[in-house]
mmCIF file of all heavy atoms in Angstrom:
data_model
loop_
_atom_site.group_PDB
_atom_site.id
_atom_site.type_symbol
_atom_site.label_atom_id
_atom_site.label_comp_id
_atom_site.label_asym_id
_atom_site.label_seq_id
_atom_site.Cartn_x
_atom_site.Cartn_y
_atom_site.Cartn_z
ATOM 1 N N CYS X 1 -11.545 -36.286 -35.598
ATOM 2 C CA CYS X 1 -11.663 -35.113 -34.907
ATOM 3 C C CYS X 1 -10.537 -34.148 -35.161
ATOM 4 O O CYS X 1 -10.914 -33.004 -35.280
ATOM 5 C CB CYS X 1 -11.364 -35.587 -33.281
ATOM 6 S SG CYS X 1 -11.891 -34.300 -32.219
ATOM 7 N N ASP X 2 -9.310 -34.629 -35.483
ATOM 8 C CA ASP X 2 -8.226 -33.546 -35.839
ATOM 9 C C ASP X 2 -8.568 -33.012 -37.234
ATOM 10 O O ASP X 2 -8.457 -31.819 -37.474
ATOM 11 C CB ASP X 2 -6.998 -34.448 -36.008
ATOM 12 C CG ASP X 2 -5.804 -33.543 -36.260
ATOM 13 O OD1 ASP X 2 -5.641 -32.638 -35.584
ATOM 14 O OD2 ASP X 2 -5.003 -33.907 -37.212
ATOM 15 N N LEU X 3 -9.011 -33.781 -38.227
ATOM 16 C CA LEU X 3 -9.450 -33.353 -39.525
ATOM 17 C C LEU X 3 -10.639 -32.298 -39.453
ATOM 18 O O LEU X 3 -10.654 -31.234 -40.130
ATOM 19 C CB LEU X 3 -9.727 -34.431 -40.403
ATOM 20 C CG LEU X 3 -8.418 -35.132 -40.912
ATOM 21 C CD1 LEU X 3 -8.890 -36.498 -41.526
ATOM 22 C CD2 LEU X 3 -7.590 -34.290 -41.850
ATOM 23 N N LEU X 4 -11.560 -32.563 -38.526
ATOM 24 C CA LEU X 4 -12.661 -31.645 -38.333
ATOM 25 C C LEU X 4 -12.257 -30.263 -37.789
ATOM 26 O O LEU X 4 -12.724 -29.306 -38.173
ATOM 27 C CB LEU X 4 -13.755 -32.249 -37.480
ATOM 28 C CG LEU X 4 -14.579 -33.403 -38.122
ATOM 29 C CD1 LEU X 4 -15.360 -34.109 -37.093
ATOM 30 C CD2 LEU X 4 -15.494 -32.823 -39.218
ATOM 31 N N ASN X 5 -11.248 -30.348 -36.950
ATOM 32 C CA ASN X 5 -10.619 -29.207 -36.313
ATOM 33 C C ASN X 5 -10.000 -28.404 -37.458
ATOM 34 O O ASN X 5 -10.190 -27.135 -37.664
ATOM 35 C CB ASN X 5 -9.664 -29.507 -35.225
ATOM 36 C CG ASN X 5 -8.898 -28.299 -34.845
ATOM 37 O OD1 ASN X 5 -9.376 -27.322 -34.441
ATOM 38 N ND2 ASN X 5 -7.516 -28.397 -35.188
ATOM 39 N N TRP X 6 -9.343 -29.026 -38.366
ATOM 40 C CA TRP X 6 -8.492 -28.279 -39.414
ATOM 41 C C TRP X 6 -9.586 -27.830 -40.484
ATOM 42 O O TRP X 6 -9.471 -26.759 -41.005
ATOM 43 C CB TRP X 6 -7.495 -29.244 -40.074
ATOM 44 C CG TRP X 6 -6.257 -29.296 -39.309
ATOM 45 C CD1 TRP X 6 -5.862 -30.379 -38.621
ATOM 46 C CD2 TRP X 6 -5.291 -28.225 -39.133
ATOM 47 N NE1 TRP X 6 -4.678 -30.050 -37.923
ATOM 48 C CE2 TRP X 6 -4.358 -28.741 -38.182
ATOM 49 C CE3 TRP X 6 -5.226 -26.895 -39.555
ATOM 50 C CZ2 TRP X 6 -3.291 -27.901 -37.855
ATOM 51 C CZ3 TRP X 6 -4.134 -26.151 -39.180
ATOM 52 C CH2 TRP X 6 -3.258 -26.686 -38.293
ATOM 53 N N ARG X 7 -10.706 -28.495 -40.698
ATOM 54 C CA ARG X 7 -11.703 -27.949 -41.592
ATOM 55 C C ARG X 7 -12.346 -26.833 -40.936
ATOM 56 O O ARG X 7 -12.552 -25.803 -41.780
ATOM 57 C CB ARG X 7 -12.792 -29.130 -41.875
ATOM 58 C CG ARG X 7 -13.810 -28.506 -42.774
ATOM 59 C CD ARG X 7 -15.133 -29.276 -42.848
ATOM 60 N NE ARG X 7 -15.160 -30.402 -43.556
ATOM 61 C CZ ARG X 7 -16.013 -31.400 -43.546
ATOM 62 N NH1 ARG X 7 -17.030 -31.209 -42.749
ATOM 63 N NH2 ARG X 7 -15.925 -32.554 -44.194
ATOM 64 N N ALA X 8 -12.634 -26.821 -39.607
ATOM 65 C CA ALA X 8 -13.154 -25.637 -39.110
ATOM 66 C C ALA X 8 -12.312 -24.419 -39.072
ATOM 67 O O ALA X 8 -12.632 -23.325 -39.282
ATOM 68 C CB ALA X 8 -13.531 -25.951 -37.622
ATOM 69 N N PHE X 9 -10.900 -24.698 -38.890
ATOM 70 C CA PHE X 9 -10.058 -23.648 -38.927
ATOM 71 C C PHE X 9 -9.963 -23.039 -40.308
ATOM 72 O O PHE X 9 -9.876 -21.979 -40.625
ATOM 73 C CB PHE X 9 -8.598 -24.166 -38.551
ATOM 74 C CG PHE X 9 -7.454 -23.207 -39.158
ATOM 75 C CD1 PHE X 9 -7.112 -22.190 -38.396
ATOM 76 C CD2 PHE X 9 -6.621 -23.486 -40.146
ATOM 77 C CE1 PHE X 9 -6.154 -21.267 -38.733
ATOM 78 C CE2 PHE X 9 -5.650 -22.685 -40.589
ATOM 79 C CZ PHE X 9 -5.433 -21.594 -39.813
ATOM 80 N N SER X 10 -9.920 -23.977 -41.381
ATOM 81 C CA SER X 10 -9.842 -23.509 -42.691
ATOM 82 C C SER X 10 -11.146 -22.703 -43.132
ATOM 83 O O SER X 10 -10.975 -21.721 -43.869
ATOM 84 C CB SER X 10 -9.459 -24.628 -43.661
ATOM 85 O OG SER X 10 -10.592 -25.490 -43.725
ATOM 86 N N GLY X 11 -12.174 -23.064 -42.781
ATOM 87 C CA GLY X 11 -13.407 -22.314 -42.911
ATOM 88 C C GLY X 11 -13.423 -21.032 -42.307
ATOM 89 O O GLY X 11 -13.789 -20.032 -42.950
ATOM 90 N N ASN X 12 -12.875 -20.892 -41.174
ATOM 91 C CA ASN X 12 -12.702 -19.583 -40.480
ATOM 92 C C ASN X 12 -11.686 -18.705 -41.235
ATOM 93 O O ASN X 12 -11.960 -17.631 -41.430
ATOM 94 C CB ASN X 12 -12.296 -19.796 -39.044
ATOM 95 C CG ASN X 12 -12.384 -18.522 -38.194
ATOM 96 O OD1 ASN X 12 -13.394 -18.032 -38.047
ATOM 97 N ND2 ASN X 12 -11.259 -18.040 -37.682
ATOM 98 N N ALA X 13 -10.611 -19.324 -41.628
ATOM 99 C CA ALA X 13 -9.574 -18.506 -42.317
ATOM 100 C C ALA X 13 -10.019 -18.025 -43.626
ATOM 101 O O ALA X 13 -9.606 -17.005 -44.100
ATOM 102 C CB ALA X 13 -8.367 -19.452 -42.517
ATOM 103 N N THR X 14 -10.921 -18.839 -44.280
ATOM 104 C CA THR X 14 -11.225 -18.389 -45.622
ATOM 105 C C THR X 14 -12.679 -17.634 -45.688
ATOM 106 O O THR X 14 -13.151 -17.241 -46.698
ATOM 107 C CB THR X 14 -11.488 -19.627 -46.623
ATOM 108 O OG1 THR X 14 -12.450 -20.474 -46.134
ATOM 109 C CG2 THR X 14 -10.138 -20.294 -46.726
ATOM 110 N N GLY X 15 -13.318 -17.485 -44.580
ATOM 111 C CA GLY X 15 -14.636 -16.863 -44.476
ATOM 112 C C GLY X 15 -15.782 -17.651 -44.717
ATOM 113 O O GLY X 15 -16.873 -17.213 -44.766
ATOM 114 N N ASP X 16 -15.523 -18.976 -44.788
ATOM 115 C CA ASP X 16 -16.641 -19.916 -44.966
ATOM 116 C C ASP X 16 -17.183 -20.328 -43.631
ATOM 117 O O ASP X 16 -16.822 -21.454 -43.157
ATOM 118 C CB ASP X 16 -16.237 -21.184 -45.774
ATOM 119 C CG ASP X 16 -17.400 -21.966 -46.185
ATOM 120 O OD1 ASP X 16 -18.543 -21.764 -45.847
ATOM 121 O OD2 ASP X 16 -17.099 -22.995 -46.958
ATOM 122 N N LEU X 17 -17.976 -19.423 -42.997
ATOM 123 C CA LEU X 17 -18.361 -19.717 -41.650
ATOM 124 C C LEU X 17 -19.396 -20.855 -41.404
ATOM 125 O O LEU X 17 -19.449 -21.390 -40.414
ATOM 126 C CB LEU X 17 -18.848 -18.355 -40.958
ATOM 127 C CG LEU X 17 -17.762 -17.248 -40.923
ATOM 128 C CD1 LEU X 17 -18.413 -15.960 -40.430
ATOM 129 C CD2 LEU X 17 -16.555 -17.684 -40.273
ATOM 130 N N SER X 18 -20.155 -21.041 -42.523
ATOM 131 C CA SER X 18 -21.172 -22.128 -42.324
ATOM 132 C C SER X 18 -20.336 -23.445 -42.378
ATOM 133 O O SER X 18 -20.683 -24.405 -41.563
ATOM 134 C CB SER X 18 -22.162 -22.205 -43.526
ATOM 135 O OG SER X 18 -21.439 -22.380 -44.676
ATOM 136 N N ARG X 19 -19.220 -23.641 -42.994
ATOM 137 C CA ARG X 19 -18.356 -24.821 -42.925
ATOM 138 C C ARG X 19 -17.775 -24.922 -41.498
ATOM 139 O O ARG X 19 -17.630 -25.940 -40.902
ATOM 140 C CB ARG X 19 -17.315 -24.828 -44.092
ATOM 141 C CG ARG X 19 -16.328 -25.900 -43.929
ATOM 142 C CD ARG X 19 -15.516 -26.041 -45.149
ATOM 143 N NE ARG X 19 -16.358 -26.436 -46.378
ATOM 144 C CZ ARG X 19 -16.079 -26.999 -47.259
ATOM 145 N NH1 ARG X 19 -14.741 -27.287 -47.513
ATOM 146 N NH2 ARG X 19 -16.899 -27.432 -48.181
ATOM 147 N N THR X 20 -17.251 -23.751 -41.133
ATOM 148 C CA THR X 20 -16.603 -23.681 -39.696
ATOM 149 C C THR X 20 -17.700 -24.122 -38.638
ATOM 150 O O THR X 20 -17.308 -25.016 -37.845
ATOM 151 C CB THR X 20 -16.184 -22.284 -39.285
ATOM 152 O OG1 THR X 20 -15.215 -21.858 -40.263
ATOM 153 C CG2 THR X 20 -15.635 -22.119 -37.880
ATOM 154 N N LEU X 21 -18.837 -23.677 -38.766
ATOM 155 C CA LEU X 21 -19.898 -24.070 -37.765
ATOM 156 C C LEU X 21 -20.168 -25.590 -37.786
ATOM 157 O O LEU X 21 -20.138 -26.200 -36.693
ATOM 158 C CB LEU X 21 -21.263 -23.309 -37.945
ATOM 159 C CG LEU X 21 -21.099 -21.879 -37.552
ATOM 160 C CD1 LEU X 21 -22.373 -21.140 -38.061
ATOM 161 C CD2 LEU X 21 -20.961 -21.629 -35.981
ATOM 162 N N SER X 22 -20.374 -26.187 -38.944
ATOM 163 C CA SER X 22 -20.693 -27.483 -39.009
ATOM 164 C C SER X 22 -19.584 -28.379 -38.506
ATOM 165 O O SER X 22 -19.776 -29.429 -37.798
ATOM 166 C CB SER X 22 -21.213 -27.900 -40.388
ATOM 167 O OG SER X 22 -20.207 -27.820 -41.235
ATOM 168 N N ALA X 23 -18.351 -28.177 -39.003
ATOM 169 C CA ALA X 23 -17.233 -28.898 -38.595
ATOM 170 C C ALA X 23 -16.863 -28.746 -37.212
ATOM 171 O O ALA X 23 -16.433 -29.753 -36.479
ATOM 172 C CB ALA X 23 -16.028 -28.495 -39.445
ATOM 173 N N ALA X 24 -16.910 -27.539 -36.575
ATOM 174 C CA ALA X 24 -16.567 -27.371 -35.204
ATOM 175 C C ALA X 24 -17.648 -28.020 -34.366
ATOM 176 O O ALA X 24 -17.308 -28.527 -33.354
ATOM 177 C CB ALA X 24 -16.611 -25.907 -34.977
ATOM 178 N N LYS X 25 -18.870 -28.009 -34.716
ATOM 179 C CA LYS X 25 -19.951 -28.601 -33.877
ATOM 180 C C LYS X 25 -19.697 -30.166 -33.834
ATOM 181 O O LYS X 25 -19.725 -30.788 -32.774
ATOM 182 C CB LYS X 25 -21.341 -28.303 -34.422
ATOM 183 C CG LYS X 25 -21.752 -27.088 -34.098
ATOM 184 C CD LYS X 25 -23.201 -26.747 -34.816
ATOM 185 C CE LYS X 25 -23.726 -25.400 -34.574
ATOM 186 N NZ LYS X 25 -24.888 -25.002 -35.273
ATOM 187 N N GLU X 26 -19.477 -30.805 -35.002
ATOM 188 C CA GLU X 26 -19.219 -32.177 -35.070
ATOM 189 C C GLU X 26 -17.876 -32.570 -34.294
ATOM 190 O O GLU X 26 -17.858 -33.534 -33.589
ATOM 191 C CB GLU X 26 -19.177 -32.678 -36.459
ATOM 192 C CG GLU X 26 -19.067 -34.192 -36.585
ATOM 193 C CD GLU X 26 -18.921 -34.542 -38.120
ATOM 194 O OE1 GLU X 26 -19.058 -33.844 -39.020
ATOM 195 O OE2 GLU X 26 -18.673 -35.782 -38.267
ATOM 196 N N GLY X 27 -16.932 -31.791 -34.607
ATOM 197 C CA GLY X 27 -15.655 -31.981 -33.925
ATOM 198 C C GLY X 27 -15.716 -31.857 -32.474
ATOM 199 O O GLY X 27 -15.134 -32.746 -31.723
ATOM 200 N N ARG X 28 -16.487 -30.994 -31.893
ATOM 201 C CA ARG X 28 -16.526 -30.753 -30.485
ATOM 202 C C ARG X 28 -17.240 -31.969 -29.772
ATOM 203 O O ARG X 28 -16.877 -32.488 -28.861
ATOM 204 C CB ARG X 28 -17.294 -29.528 -30.158
ATOM 205 C CG ARG X 28 -17.536 -29.256 -28.646
ATOM 206 C CD ARG X 28 -18.512 -28.126 -28.329
ATOM 207 N NE ARG X 28 -19.775 -28.514 -28.959
ATOM 208 C CZ ARG X 28 -20.742 -27.563 -28.937
ATOM 209 N NH1 ARG X 28 -20.646 -26.403 -28.524
ATOM 210 N NH2 ARG X 28 -21.960 -27.923 -29.517
ATOM 211 N N ALA X 29 -18.437 -32.388 -30.472
ATOM 212 C CA ALA X 29 -19.182 -33.455 -29.962
ATOM 213 C C ALA X 29 -18.314 -34.747 -30.031
ATOM 214 O O ALA X 29 -18.280 -35.497 -28.947
ATOM 215 C CB ALA X 29 -20.377 -33.709 -30.847
ATOM 216 N N LEU X 30 -17.538 -34.952 -31.009
ATOM 217 C CA LEU X 30 -16.650 -36.249 -31.144
ATOM 218 C C LEU X 30 -15.617 -36.096 -30.079
ATOM 219 O O LEU X 30 -15.203 -37.082 -29.462
ATOM 220 C CB LEU X 30 -16.121 -36.183 -32.642
ATOM 221 C CG LEU X 30 -15.249 -37.424 -32.866
ATOM 222 C CD1 LEU X 30 -15.973 -38.790 -32.527
ATOM 223 C CD2 LEU X 30 -14.681 -37.477 -34.246
ATOM 224 N N ALA X 31 -15.055 -35.043 -29.995
ATOM 225 C CA ALA X 31 -13.821 -34.814 -29.031
ATOM 226 C C ALA X 31 -14.343 -35.083 -27.588
ATOM 227 O O ALA X 31 -13.682 -35.710 -26.810
ATOM 228 C CB ALA X 31 -13.287 -33.357 -29.031
ATOM 229 N N GLU X 32 -15.583 -34.601 -27.234
ATOM 230 C CA GLU X 32 -16.113 -34.889 -25.887
ATOM 231 C C GLU X 32 -16.415 -36.336 -25.784
ATOM 232 O O GLU X 32 -16.228 -36.933 -24.675
ATOM 233 C CB GLU X 32 -17.372 -34.038 -25.711
ATOM 234 C CG GLU X 32 -17.168 -32.556 -25.473
ATOM 235 C CD GLU X 32 -18.392 -31.658 -25.533
ATOM 236 O OE1 GLU X 32 -19.554 -32.283 -25.584
ATOM 237 O OE2 GLU X 32 -18.324 -30.500 -25.354
ATOM 238 N N GLU X 33 -16.863 -37.019 -26.855
ATOM 239 C CA GLU X 33 -17.129 -38.433 -26.753
ATOM 240 C C GLU X 33 -15.960 -39.320 -26.507
ATOM 241 O O GLU X 33 -15.888 -40.248 -25.831
ATOM 242 C CB GLU X 33 -17.809 -38.841 -28.158
ATOM 243 C CG GLU X 33 -18.318 -40.304 -28.222
ATOM 244 C CD GLU X 33 -18.991 -40.607 -29.491
ATOM 245 O OE1 GLU X 33 -19.817 -39.654 -30.037
ATOM 246 O OE2 GLU X 33 -18.643 -41.614 -30.080
ATOM 247 N N ILE X 34 -14.825 -38.923 -27.120
ATOM 248 C CA ILE X 34 -13.558 -39.674 -27.142
ATOM 249 C C ILE X 34 -12.652 -39.229 -26.013
ATOM 250 O O ILE X 34 -11.556 -39.841 -25.706
ATOM 251 C CB ILE X 34 -12.804 -39.873 -28.364
ATOM 252 C CG1 ILE X 34 -12.405 -38.571 -28.864
ATOM 253 C CG2 ILE X 34 -13.663 -40.516 -29.405
ATOM 254 C CD1 ILE X 34 -11.480 -38.646 -30.072
ATOM 255 N N GLY X 35 -13.123 -38.171 -25.269
ATOM 256 C CA GLY X 35 -12.234 -37.657 -24.143
ATOM 257 C C GLY X 35 -10.962 -36.811 -24.596
ATOM 258 O O GLY X 35 -10.030 -36.724 -24.038
ATOM 259 N N ASP X 36 -11.143 -36.317 -25.842
ATOM 260 C CA ASP X 36 -9.999 -35.408 -26.365
ATOM 261 C C ASP X 36 -10.100 -33.990 -26.036
ATOM 262 O O ASP X 36 -10.851 -33.247 -26.816
ATOM 263 C CB ASP X 36 -9.926 -35.609 -27.883
ATOM 264 C CG ASP X 36 -8.790 -34.946 -28.536
ATOM 265 O OD1 ASP X 36 -8.008 -34.147 -27.871
ATOM 266 O OD2 ASP X 36 -8.443 -35.304 -29.736
ATOM 267 N N GLN X 37 -9.588 -33.575 -24.991
ATOM 268 C CA GLN X 37 -9.789 -32.308 -24.511
ATOM 269 C C GLN X 37 -9.166 -31.123 -25.318
ATOM 270 O O GLN X 37 -9.625 -30.081 -25.541
ATOM 271 C CB GLN X 37 -9.317 -32.032 -23.023
ATOM 272 C CG GLN X 37 -10.073 -32.992 -22.069
ATOM 273 C CD GLN X 37 -9.495 -32.768 -20.632
ATOM 274 O OE1 GLN X 37 -8.474 -32.095 -20.394
ATOM 275 N NE2 GLN X 37 -10.123 -33.454 -19.640
#
């Protein structure tokens, strides 16, 4: 979850928004699953 968050951040910072979207979606779902608010 932490690494997916950083991948989403880096995609946003570099303008690779498709990478941001995929990592953020997966990270959000995983965070909700494990209770990581």
Side-chain angles (χ1 to χ4, degrees):
C1 194
D2 187 49
L3 287 166
L4 288 168
N5 169 61
W6 282 107
R7 182 199 278 171
F9 165 77
S10 69
N12 192 58
T14 60
D16 188 355
L17 298 178
S18 60
R19 176 169 290 207
T20 298
L21 287 173
S22 64
K25 286 178 185 177
E26 184 180 355
R28 180 191 61 186
L30 181 58
E32 290 173 0
E33 184 180 316
I34 64 174
D36 186 345
Q37 295 178 358

